[in-house]
Amino acid sequence: METVNEGKLFPEPKRKLERGFESYFYWTYPRGCFHYDVMVTLILLFIFVTPHLWNYGDKPSSSAGLQHPIQLTGDGSHGMIVTVQASDVYVPAGASDSAVKKALRQAILPVSGDAVVVERWETVKDAQGNVAWRIWAHR
C-alpha cells in the first residue's frame, strides 16, 4: 500500500511530471527559457516535417495545365465564349453530357473563376485546322 506524502494524494515524482505537462500545455514558461525553446522547436518541427510524413491533400495538381492559349470573348450579354483546344481537355469517348460539361468547366476555370456555369458547347476547327471546343458560359 502506498503512503500519502504530507497529505498529498500522488507521490512527488508523478505530481512533478503532471506539473511539467501542465506548464507545457498552458505555455507558462518565460521567453528564452530552455522549456520555451523546446516548445518552439517542437512547433517548428511539426510545421516543416509533417507535410513530408502525412498527405494533407493540398498539393498542386500533377497536370502541367493547358498547353495552348485560351481565347475569351464576350457574347454581348453577361456571358462569355471561351475557345479551348481539344487536346487540352480530356473528354473520354462516349462521355455523357454531364461529364463533358464538367471537363469543359474544369478547363475554363483559369480564366473564368469558380462561379461559372457552362450553358452549351460545340466543337470547331481553328485557323490551323486543329479541333477546339467553343464554350458558352456565364457567372
Side-chain angles (χ1 to χ4, degrees):
M1 184 168 170
E2 194 171 88
T3 59
V4 177
N5 296 338
E6 301 172 8
K8 296 179 183 173
L9 188 59
F10 299 107
E12 191 59 34
K14 189 174 183 183
R15 183 68 186 142
K16 240 183 187 178
L17 187 63
E18 286 179 4
R19 272 189 266 137
F21 285 135
E22 188 175 289
S23 296
Y24 274 101
F25 182 77
Y26 290 112
W27 199 280
T28 60
Y29 293 107
R31 182 181 250 180
C33 172
F34 170 76
H35 297 287
Y36 185 92
D37 293 341
V38 168
M39 289 300 293
V40 169
T41 303
L42 290 174
I43 290 170
L44 290 174
L45 281 172
F46 178 80
I47 291 170
F48 292 112
V49 173
T50 58
H52 299 289
L53 300 176
W54 293 324
N55 180 12
Y56 291 113
D58 60 347
K59 291 184 170 60
S61 66
S62 61
S63 65
L66 301 174
Q67 302 296 320
H68 302 93
I70 296 176
Q71 181 182 2
L72 177 68
T73 56
D75 71 351
S77 59
H78 292 92
M80 62 185 110
I81 302 171
V82 184
T83 306
V84 180
Q85 292 293 321
S87 60
D88 287 338
V89 182
Y90 175 70
V91 178
S96 66
D97 282 351
S98 63
V100 173
K101 189 175 191 176
K102 184 177 180 182
L104 294 176
R105 183 179 183 278
Q106 284 297 114
I108 67 172
L109 280 178
V111 295
S112 65
D114 286 337
V116 66
V117 176
V118 174
E119 293 176 4
R120 63 186 176 102
W121 59 88
E122 66 182 23
T123 55
V124 295
K125 289 200 178 213
D126 64 5
Q128 290 81 26
N130 299 319
V131 177
W133 290 96
R134 183 168 291 147
I135 307 158
W136 284 264
H138 70 283
R139 292 186 184 180

